[in-house]
Amino acid sequence: MKNDPRSHGLWERTAPPPPVTRALDGEVTADVAVIGAGFTGLSAALHLAEDGMKVVVLEAAEIGFGGSGRNVGLVNAGLWVMPDEIPAVLGDTYGPRVLDLLGGAPRVVFDLIARHNIQCEATPVGTLHCAVGDDGLAELKERARQWQARGAPVRLLDAAETAHKVGTTAYTGSLLDERAGTVQPLAYARGLAHAAIKAGATIYTESPVVGADDDGTQWRLRTASGSVTAPWVIVATNAYTMAMWPQLRAELVHLPYFNLATRPLSDNLRRSILPERQGAWDTKEILSSFRFDQEGRFIFGSVGALRGPGLPIHRNWGRRAMAKLFPQLKDVEFETEWYGKIGMTVDNVPRFHRLGRNVVSFSGYNGRGIAPGTVFGRCLAQLVTGKIGDADLPLPLTEPQAAPLRAAKEVYYEVGAQLAHVASARF
Ligand SMILES: Cc1cc2nc3c(=O)[nH]c(=O)nc-3n(C[C@H](O)[C@H](O)[C@H](O)COP(=O)(O)OP(=O)(O)OC[C@H]3O[C@@H](n4cnc5c(N)ncnc54)[C@H](O)[C@@H]3O)c2cc1C
């Protein structure tokens, strides 16, 4: 997108086309204005339109331009934080509620995909969180125990079973989560956009919101060539926030993450890795993720930005690390590469904010936004239509807090990933 092959890489090459949209030109009115056409904004728009509301979405660039069109495509259940720790962070009301909602969120995604017949390579066959060493296995054992105590369909696999399911003996075990799976993320975002438009929503692209005025009953959102007037505003700009409500940006530390994808592999090679097609990632701090797309391309990712010195470092690391895990891929080149920024909060828990009168927002998904963005968008739609109140939401209302040492942490993540990937060549 935006003539940048490293923004959306493979996903842009293989996603079905987006709906035809244009930039906002002139004055329009709506019941609800949504800013941002990622999973959160599009899910909100779809659910609002299905409820008969007049919705207008304003997107600065294109549908799925932010994290929604660039991610790995792992449709995860729950959060990074261990299930038992969530009530300690969010309290006894919100903790269990968010766990319930996000535990079931992949099901919501796959049901929505089926209901709207979204062509996005949906593969609901689970995910494998792969243990590195004894510490990784201990972490996954504990995670399995905590989810199982809540009745979740997760299973700890030993090293032999993991080797069978992944196709490498590199791991000491893994956690199979049968609630989860994978999608082609840009195709999912575009499919949500098609469904929202079909339900009656209007989406304007190339229309960054640059100003917002409240007259006490209506908001007027301004773009370069028009405006939307609406009593309610949903801000779904998350880690890609530009211009408006910059406190959302200030709250998040950007963690860069890249993906490299091969050409479609031969049948023999495909059969030798992840034969059941789960999406996978490991327990390392600078983690690696891997999965296949529908055409049998192997997609390998890790922390880092594909720019400046990071570009050759991460590419070279990718070749080495992939060949180490799967020696049969040692001569396979990567065909596409892309990266984006993940919005991290200080405690790895997302946020619900009221940014002004009737201006509501969820953000800070910490690299887990496909399922959460979908269900949080639906929550925002329900809040606006009065089906639920603030007290029924899965997260407490908080004020945005600037992340301490944000700029320094972002440099640390980007340079730290480079150093880790250089070092992995030496040891
Ligand atoms: C590389 C990478 C890998 C990831 N892997 C996974 C994964 O495997 N699984 C998972 O669940 N999550 C993953 N994530 C996280 C997930 O992609 C995000 O949490 C999710 O996409 C957030 O969706 P969103 O709709 O809230 O925001 P976004 O998709 O970021 O959308 C925000 C939109 O707002 C628009 N915008 C910003 N400012 C304005 C403005 N002023 N006016 C109008 N529009 C504006 C932007 O252009 C953008 O399109 C990953 C993220 C990245 C970057």
Side-chain angles (χ1 to χ4, degrees):
M1 286 188 200
K2 298 251 178 207
N3 292 323
D4 177 1
R6 277 189 209 111
S7 68
H8 296 73
L10 172 66
W11 302 142
E12 192 172 6
R13 280 177 53 175
T14 61
V20 176
T21 51
R22 59 179 175 84
L24 175 66
D25 187 15
E27 319 276 307
V28 302
T29 59
D31 297 321
V32 190
V34 176
I35 312 179
F39 303 135
T40 310
L42 293 168
S43 169
L46 169 61
H47 287 98
L48 284 164
E50 285 185 327
D51 233 6
M53 303 290 274
K54 186 175 178 199
V55 197
V56 170
V57 180
L58 292 171
E59 164 54 45
E62 293 177 45
I63 290 158
F65 180 77
S68 299
R70 307 169 188 243
N71 61 67
V72 182
L74 302 169
V75 186
N76 294 117
L79 297 159
W80 278 116
V81 186
M82 286 277 193
D84 286 3
E85 285 170 26
I86 305 268
V89 180
L90 290 174
D92 288 339
T93 303
Y94 291 102
R97 197 185 284 170
V98 81
L99 276 172
D100 266 6
L101 182 75
L102 297 187
R107 188 69 273 141
V108 175
V109 170
F110 291 120
D111 285 351
L112 206 56
I113 289 169
R115 181 150 59 88
H116 295 282
N117 192 21
I118 296 176
Q119 301 303 306
C120 63
E121 306 183 15
T123 310
V125 297
T127 50
L128 290 162
H129 192 176
C130 301
V132 177
D134 293 341
D135 289 353
L137 189 58
E139 179 202 322
L140 293 186
K141 254 185 202 157
E142 184 53 21
R143 204 174 268 277
R145 187 193 65 73
Q146 294 185 14
W147 272 124
Q148 283 165 353
R150 292 166 195 276
V154 305
R155 202 152 55 86
L156 190 73
L157 310 184
D158 64 16
E161 213 178 339
T162 299
H164 181 69
K165 285 215 185 303
V166 180
T168 171
T169 53
Y171 301 115
T172 46
S174 62
L175 184 69
L176 172 65
D177 189 335
E178 289 173 351
R179 298 167 294 182
T182 60
V183 291
Q184 204 280 29
L186 181 60
Y188 176 48
R190 287 180 174 177
L192 284 177
H194 278 290
I197 290 172
K198 202 168 163 201
T202 307
I203 301 176
Y204 294 102
T205 44
E206 302 292 342
S207 302
V209 175
V210 292
D213 310 301
D214 177 21
D215 72 3
T217 53
Q218 302 275 339
W219 281 91
R220 187 165 169 269
L221 303 182
R222 284 176 279 114
T223 67
S225 53
S227 72
V228 179
T229 303
W232 278 90
V233 178
I234 288 176
V235 183
T237 53
N238 217 325
Y240 280 78
T241 296
M242 282 193 318
M244 293 307 304
W245 288 288
Q247 59 270 49
L248 290 179
R249 162 67 183 105
E251 186 167 52
L252 301 177
V253 177
H254 285 169
L255 173 81
Y257 201 90
F258 67 91
N259 281 288
L260 309 163
T262 68
R263 60 177 161 69
L265 301 181
S266 69
D267 287 349
N268 275 348
L269 288 176
R270 280 185 218 190
R271 272 195 292 271
S272 68
I273 300 165
L274 293 171
E276 297 165 12
R277 291 295 174 264
Q278 291 92 354
W281 74 102
D282 68 27
T283 55
K284 280 194 217 148
E285 196 166 351
I286 309 269
L287 61 97
S288 307
S289 55
F290 47 96
R291 54 163 294 187
F292 279 94
D293 79 345
Q294 195 168 259
E295 304 287 312
R297 296 177 182 90
F298 184 74
I299 302 165
F300 196 45
S302 186
V303 179
L306 298 181
R307 62 183 170 200
L311 183 55
I313 289 173
H314 299 311
R315 267 185 192 154
N316 289 334
W317 169 85
R319 281 193 207 105
R320 284 194 317 273
M322 180 174 76
K324 200 168 161 197
L325 273 178
F326 304 108
Q328 65 272 45
L329 299 187
K330 75 175 180 352
D331 296 323
V332 176
E333 296 290 323
F334 293 116
E335 246 185 20
T336 47
E337 53 190 19
W338 68 102
Y339 73 107
K341 49 197 183 195
I342 291 176
M344 307 293 291
T345 56
V346 281
D347 54 8
N348 293 327
V349 171
R351 297 287 189 270
F352 167 62
H353 298 309
R354 281 186 176 271
L355 301 164
R357 192 190 57 80
N358 285 358
V359 181
V360 288
S361 173
F362 274 101
S363 58
Y365 302 161
N366 295 279
R368 291 203 164 197
I370 301 176
T374 305
V375 294
F376 289 154
R378 187 182 63 177
C379 285
L380 291 173
Q382 291 167 335
L383 186 69
V384 167
T385 50
K387 288 185 173 157
I388 58 171
D390 279 11
D392 306 308
L393 287 171
L395 293 171
L397 172 64
T398 52
E399 283 297 313
Q401 304 278 334
L405 303 173
R406 176 169 58 80
K409 284 181 188 163
E410 289 179 355
V411 172
Y412 173 77
Y413 283 152
E414 184 160 348
V415 176
Q418 291 171 12
L419 294 175
H421 285 165
V422 168
S424 77
R426 304 219 172 102
F427 304 107

